[in-house]
Amino acid sequence: MAHMMTNNAVKPVAHIKLSSRAQSAKALRVKPAKGAKSFKCATVAGSFMEGTEQAPPDPILGVSDAFKASTSPDKLNLGVGAYRTEELQPYVLEVVKKAEAIMMEKAENKEYLPIDGLPAFKKCTAELLLGADSSIIAENKIATLQSLSGTGSLRIGAAYINAWLPGKTVYLSNPTWGNHKNIFADAGVEWKMYRYFDPETVGLDFAGMMEDIKGAPDGSIIVLHGCAHNPTGVDPTKEQWEEIASLCQEKGHLPFFDVAYQGFASGSLEEDAFAPRMFAEKGLEFLCSQSYSKNLGLYGERVGAINAVVNDAAVATRVASQMKRQARAMYSNPPVHGARIVSEVVGDEDMFNEWKAEMEMMSGRIKSVRGKLYDYLCEKMPEKDWSFVTRQIGMFSFTGLTPAQVENMTNKWEVYMTKDGRISLAGLSAAKAEYLADAIVDSIKNA
Amino acid sequence: MASFWAKVPQAPKDPILGITEKFLADEDPCKMNLGVGAYRTDQGKPVVLDCVREAEKRIAGNFNMEYLPIGGLKEFNDLSVKLAYGDECAAIAEARVASIQTLSGTGSCRLMADFMHKFAPDATVYIPSPTWANHHNIWRDANVAQTSFRYYKPSTRGLDFEGMIEDIQTAPSGSFFLLHACAHNPTGVDPTSEQWSEISAVMKEKGHFPFFDMAYQGFASGDCVHDARAIRIFLDDGHQLGCSQSYAKNMGLYGQRVGCFSIVCSDSEEASAVESQMKAIARPMYSNPPVYGARIVTTVLGDEELKELWYKEVKGMADRIIHMRTLLRENLEGIGSSLPWNHVTDQIGMFCFSGLTPEQVDELANDHHIYMTRNGRISMAGVTSGTVGRLAEAMHKVTSG
């Protein structure tokens, strides 16, 4: 299924093309002669940047751009995974507004955070992941760095892998979030894919997944979505997770969890952390990136963490020191605003409970809108099995639409979504559910 | 079971940020932190500028927290490049400037380094000797070859201008040069305007690419236009340069991580292509930049009154530092040190490159509880009128043994 491979990798640009202007001056960037170390460049007439190719728009973030450009009153943005209210407005959590008001009162300074971030944030993020009573935390067997949301945390992890597990391959689910490939590639780490999504059942190809994880060389890195798999919404069951953990243990693999939706998938922080917590109980070492973009609505503040669960506290200290080195050369220290918000919220019992309630509300709205969409789809095209709509979990639904069908969705129906057939339910209102059902049915039948 | 990571060694402490860690661990009540370059009031306290507090009030409750575009807040980028290149800059008017909001100065430099790796993989970056320690880490992690050019002359504690020009001339045509736009870190030694003009001419002749790291605009002399004059000279000479801007010091937004990375291109089409490639590098690093600090900068620079207030406040900070330099030199000369201390007032910006040896720096830390980086760099921003006397005494003690 070629279209499953969400390809937003930038076309590799190995050489800047020479314009005739540059050629008549001096060569801009010719492949140097063997042994030559010098780099010729255009003189006054030419430009260093001449011939730089336009990069393609990001396949996910580019959808929002296209949506903004459209003037149609019917347009619907089901591209990027950002939560919207029933009125299709962005949502700042009440508890976040409270936290910001408290922060304004406190009038704290804006000094640099340590390289590894706000200490209060690091403590609460580790506890959210593993549970406040985790023995791993008590025994200091975890290295935690505050980092730039999910992306930044993954990148630190990837850079760390490149430095300390050179030659190892990272295995990504097929399909996966489009940016995973770029993150590992830019960090110099080779990636391959393991089977994951079964278009026949519109569910998990568990046998294929296990076979591919087993077939990977011992000690490979396996990227796992902690919950609410992006883009498919298909998660392993608890029993399947246990089997995956055992297999990773057997093969000496290093799991790398991407936890971007804790609390957002089922509505429960504890439920959604089942997989990493169970791996930790079993004694596996693993890496884990966390993001507070969705569950606390802190998208633009870039708050997250990279964690390394390690079986020795002294080692954990050294791992942290090396991750700090990576961070220092990328951004020095992480942004303070979002981290303070998280610690305010989690550090106060009432606010923490309020947060949990708002998370339940957000995931509840998504479940409800899934239900409505499912009902309309069954009504309009009863011959197809639409059960995947309510079986899939989290923000996204993998519709199975082909690129041609997706084009129809956009061109005819002004529904903006990614080419891999992924729709963000977070961007759907109950009021537009029927319209979307019409669009999907039309695209399947006629495109 | 052995850990995956059993063989991973402890990384060395960051030479700059590691000083703060040692300082925090020290229990002496009179300890002084002159390590990291963060401004302090004369009471030794961190400060949040009034213009920033006002901007925060205006922002509070009025915005959502949606993802910024990969390139950041457009208004922020537009205001930033105007601040760096001048409101009347032709390149801006002609849409020839590619710009992207970044994670402060570090993030801007890293994007430049990664850009070089991708589009000029055989090029070498020439870095002044000495420089901010993290420059070396950034270009190394980006897998770009680096070498140094002469800059600081220890014998005069000033600029090695002849050495610098010679190294620019002997570098292969089309090399990349990292230049500190003003308030060189760590030495505080800047070229004069005449010297900048000469540097610009030689670089033009050699077809080199100038990349300016401007972390102290406004903070050096107190005048934003004056502090950007090197860049303006280069622009007038037709260089298509790159620039990293940071708002950490001049707007006191340290922990907010706000900066801008820009490259001047030959036409708008090229600028668009370059900008798209900048974004392609940013997306797998952090997806999109943090919004809060950028809103603050946009609010301040976008409002005439707040901008004027900012100009005043940044001049106030620069003036206090200049005053501390004067006091330190007076004190050192006053207690009878026979060594020359004119460099304390000749140098500009946050740092004084004292000339202290690593051993003397260690003695200051261990015996006097005064912390600075081992290259003898003193953050003058951390000196107060109440502590300058003790600092002078301690420096005199360790240098007269």
Side-chain angles (χ1 to χ4, degrees):
Chain A
M1 275 270 195
H3 78 275
M4 298 284 188
M5 301 273 293
T6 46
N7 176 27
N8 68 337
V10 172
K11 196 163 74 162
V13 181
H15 300 286
I16 298 177
K17 290 200 231 144
L18 298 176
S19 75
S20 55
R21 191 162 51 128
Q23 279 173 328
S24 65
K26 281 184 185 174
L28 175 62
R29 205 202 71 75
V30 290
K31 230 169 143 68
K34 211 164 145 71
K37 288 198 178 78
S38 71
F39 166 89
K40 293 194 169 87
C41 90
T43 55
V44 173
S47 159
F48 274 90
M49 303 298 148
E50 205 164 298
T52 306
E53 290 172 13
Q54 183 83 19
D58 182 270
I60 300 172
L61 303 176
V63 172
S64 287
D65 290 343
F67 170 82
K68 282 197 193 100
S70 163
T71 51
S72 163
D74 289 325
K75 65 179 183 174
L76 196 56
N77 187 0
L78 304 183
V80 73
Y83 181 81
R84 294 285 175 270
T85 61
E86 171 62 29
E87 296 75 33
L88 297 184
Q89 292 304 311
Y91 181 63
V92 178
L93 275 70
E94 289 305 320
V95 80
V96 167
K97 289 183 191 165
K98 278 202 179 119
E100 282 197 304
I102 292 171
M103 283 158 62
M104 281 287 272
E105 280 295 301
K106 284 187 185 173
E108 280 161 335
N109 63 48
K110 297 185 181 314
E111 294 300 288
Y112 290 126
L113 286 179
I115 303 176
D116 55 353
L118 188 67
F121 169 82
K122 289 188 339 166
K123 178 173 188 292
C124 70
T125 199
E127 289 179 357
L128 279 170
L129 178 65
L130 296 180
D133 52 358
S134 159
S135 61
I136 284 165
I137 296 178
E139 293 163 25
N140 294 309
K141 291 180 178 171
I142 180 171
T144 300
L145 262 76
Q146 176 193 338
S147 189
L148 301 167
S149 204
T151 306
S153 305
L154 286 160
R155 181 58 179 265
I156 297 284
Y160 176 75
I161 287 167
N162 181 52
W164 301 105
L165 290 179
K168 293 289 187 187
T169 302
V170 158
Y171 287 77
L172 306 169
S173 66
N174 187 359
T176 193
W177 179 48
N179 206 23
H180 277 147
K181 305 179 182 59
N182 299 327
I183 291 168
F184 286 101
D186 275 25
V189 180
E190 196 205 356
W191 58 267
K192 289 197 166 115
M193 301 195 104
Y194 60 86
R195 280 169 286 172
Y196 191 81
F197 181 70
D198 185 349
E200 298 294 314
T201 61
V202 197
L204 179 62
D205 177 2
F206 188 59
M209 178 182 184
M210 292 297 274
E211 210 176 296
D212 289 349
I213 291 179
K214 194 167 189 157
D218 284 7
S220 296
I221 298 121
I222 316 291
V223 172
L224 301 160
H225 298 227
C227 65
H229 184 271
N230 177 0
T232 68
V234 168
D235 285 350
T237 62
K238 288 190 175 167
E239 294 72 33
Q240 289 171 330
W241 272 124
E242 302 261 2
E243 285 191 56
I244 295 165
S246 296
L247 180 56
C248 283
Q249 231 162 3
E250 193 188 301
K251 295 281 302 180
H253 286 332
L254 179 72
F256 192 159
F257 279 103
D258 181 349
V259 172
Y261 299 98
Q262 188 183 359
F264 207 94
S266 67
S268 156
L269 286 164
E270 290 74 31
E271 265 298 300
D272 288 350
F274 170 79
R277 289 186 189 189
M278 180 268 295
F279 275 54
E281 293 265 322
K282 275 183 134 71
L284 280 117
E285 291 189 317
F286 58 89
L287 296 174
C288 180
S289 86
Q290 295 169 279
S291 166
Y292 291 89
S293 289
K294 285 84 173 172
N295 60 9
L296 248 176
L298 295 178
Y299 307 92
E301 303 294 348
R302 320 311 292 128
V303 204
I306 176 69
N307 301 275
V309 170
V310 178
N311 61 20
D312 180 310
V315 174
T317 306
R318 303 202 299 265
V319 170
S321 76
Q322 293 295 350
M323 286 189 171
K324 279 162 70 170
R325 246 213 93 269
Q326 301 288 355
R328 174 52 159 163
M330 261 189 232
Y331 55 82
S332 281
N333 37 69
V336 63
H337 194 72
R340 282 200 179 130
I341 293 174
V342 175
S343 0
E344 287 291 338
V345 169
V346 176
D348 175 282
E349 203 183 328
D350 289 335
M351 286 177 76
F352 191 33
N353 289 329
E354 266 191 67
W355 177 30
K356 291 193 207 181
E358 286 194 89
M359 243 183 323
E360 267 189 59
M361 180 274 295
M362 290 191 290
S363 71
R365 191 185 89 66
I366 291 177
K367 281 188 199 143
S368 155
V369 105
R370 279 186 184 274
K372 291 217 154 54
L373 179 62
Y374 170 77
D375 290 340
Y376 283 120
L377 286 166
C378 289
E379 194 187 294
K380 292 166 194 296
M381 193 170 167
E383 65 271 29
K384 188 169 158 67
D385 178 8
W386 297 104
S387 61
F388 67 87
V389 173
T390 45
R391 238 190 305 128
Q392 289 166 0
I393 190 168
M395 231 182 230
F396 303 111
S397 179
F398 218 47
T399 57
L401 291 174
T402 64
Q405 291 165 346
V406 170
E407 282 231 26
N408 187 64
M409 293 288 283
T410 306
N411 297 341
K412 183 169 173 192
W413 294 88
E414 295 281 343
V415 173
Y416 292 80
M417 53 188 282
T418 47
K419 283 198 172 49
D420 57 359
R422 184 191 86 166
I423 52 173
S424 170
L425 274 318
L428 180 65
S429 60
K432 288 289 267 184
E434 183 167 14
Y435 179 85
L436 179 60
D438 283 333
I440 291 173
V441 168
D442 173 67
S443 301
I444 288 180
K445 286 188 168 160
N446 302 322
Chain B
M1 190 191 89
S3 167
F4 256 96
W5 313 115
K7 295 204 171 71
V8 172
Q10 180 80 18
K13 279 212 186 308
D14 182 272
I16 300 169
L17 302 176
I19 302 293
T20 298
E21 288 176 30
K22 278 177 68 182
F23 167 82
L24 290 170
D26 187 329
E27 293 178 345
D28 188 282
C30 292
K31 61 183 180 175
M32 289 176 71
N33 186 1
L34 306 180
V36 71
Y39 182 82
R40 296 283 176 268
T41 62
D42 203 48
Q43 290 68 46
K45 296 267 174 281
V47 76
V48 177
L49 300 184
D50 287 344
C51 64
V52 168
R53 284 289 183 225
E54 177 57 32
E56 286 189 299
K57 283 207 198 96
R58 296 184 192 184
I59 291 166
N62 287 325
F63 291 93
N64 60 47
M65 287 170 170
E66 293 301 289
Y67 291 127
L68 284 180
I70 305 176
L73 209 51
K74 183 171 187 324
E75 226 194 310
F76 168 84
N77 291 328
D78 292 345
L79 289 164
S80 292
V81 301
K82 284 210 165 119
L83 181 65
Y85 301 147
D87 290 332
E88 309 305 322
C89 171
I92 296 177
E94 294 158 19
R96 290 195 284 118
V97 180
S99 63
I100 166 173
Q101 179 192 334
T102 56
L103 279 290
S104 205
T106 305
S108 303
C109 286
R110 179 57 181 261
L111 287 186
M112 180 73 229
D114 279 2
F115 199 93
M116 276 185 71
H117 176 70
K118 213 167 177 180
F119 296 102
D122 303 315
T124 298
V125 66
Y126 283 73
I127 296 182
S129 176
T131 194
W132 179 48
N134 205 27
H135 279 146
H136 297 299
N137 297 333
I138 290 169
W139 267 271
R140 186 191 319 122
D141 276 21
N143 294 303
V144 173
Q146 56 179 279
T147 189
S148 59
F149 64 89
R150 280 170 287 172
Y151 190 83
Y152 179 71
K153 194 185 262 186
S155 53
T156 59
R157 297 208 179 98
L159 181 65
D160 180 358
F161 186 60
E162 295 75 26
M164 180 178 182
I165 292 289
E166 215 176 286
D167 289 349
I168 293 174
Q169 274 166 338
T170 55
S173 284
S175 296
F176 285 68
F177 273 77
L178 168 65
L179 302 164
H180 297 224
C182 63
H184 182 273
N185 178 358
T187 69
V189 168
D190 286 349
T192 61
S193 297
E194 295 71 34
Q195 288 173 327
W196 274 125
S197 289
E198 278 194 62
I199 295 164
S200 170
V202 180
M203 288 200 51
K204 200 86 203 292
E205 217 176 280
K206 295 285 302 188
H208 293 326
F209 181 92
F211 177 63
F212 282 97
D213 183 350
M214 184 156 67
Y216 299 99
Q217 187 181 10
F219 210 95
S221 67
D223 180 337
C224 287
V225 173
H226 181 78
D227 288 348
R229 73 195 181 288
I231 293 177
R232 313 279 170 98
I233 288 168
F234 274 59
L235 284 175
D236 283 344
D237 288 349
H239 284 278
Q240 286 174 216
L241 46 83
C243 180
S244 150
Q245 291 168 268
S246 166
Y247 291 93
K249 284 86 171 173
N250 61 8
M251 234 187 253
L253 295 177
Y254 307 92
Q256 309 290 163
R257 320 311 292 127
V258 207
C260 182
F261 167 47
S262 57
I263 293 180
V264 176
C265 304
S266 24
D267 56 47
S268 60
E269 206 182 297
E270 188 180 282
S272 167
V274 167
E275 207 171 280
S276 74
Q277 295 293 354
M278 289 173 168
K279 292 186 211 174
I281 296 172
R283 170 55 159 160
M285 206 184 280
Y286 53 83
S287 280
N288 37 67
V291 63
Y292 191 66
R295 286 233 169 87
I296 293 174
V297 174
T298 305
T299 305
V300 170
L301 295 183
D303 176 286
E304 272 314 307
E305 251 186 78
L306 282 183
K307 192 158 103 168
E308 283 307 314
L309 175 56
W310 174 54
Y311 284 151
K312 259 181 58 192
E313 289 190 280
V314 82
K315 183 170 187 326
M317 291 193 286
D319 285 348
R320 193 183 90 67
I321 291 177
I322 292 169
H323 184 52
M324 289 304 105
R325 288 182 179 278
T326 307
L327 286 181
L328 179 60
R329 179 176 170 185
E330 277 174 8
N331 271 269
L332 284 163
E333 289 169 349
I335 49 183
S337 172
S338 54
L339 301 168
W341 293 108
N342 56 290
H343 54 285
V344 173
T345 48
D346 290 343
Q347 291 164 2
I348 190 167
M350 217 181 243
F351 304 111
C352 165
F353 214 43
S354 61
L356 293 175
T357 65
E359 295 72 34
Q360 290 167 340
V361 169
D362 289 343
E363 212 184 307
L364 277 178
N366 299 332
D367 297 351
H368 301 275
H369 309 279
I370 294 174
Y371 294 83
M372 63 185 64
T373 49
R374 287 190 96 232
N375 55 6
R377 184 193 83 168
I378 301 175
S379 173
M380 294 305 299
V383 180
T384 70
S385 46
T387 58
V388 67
R390 177 165 115 69
L391 175 61
E393 292 267 7
M395 284 172 70
H396 178 51
K397 277 215 174 74
V398 307
T399 54
S400 49

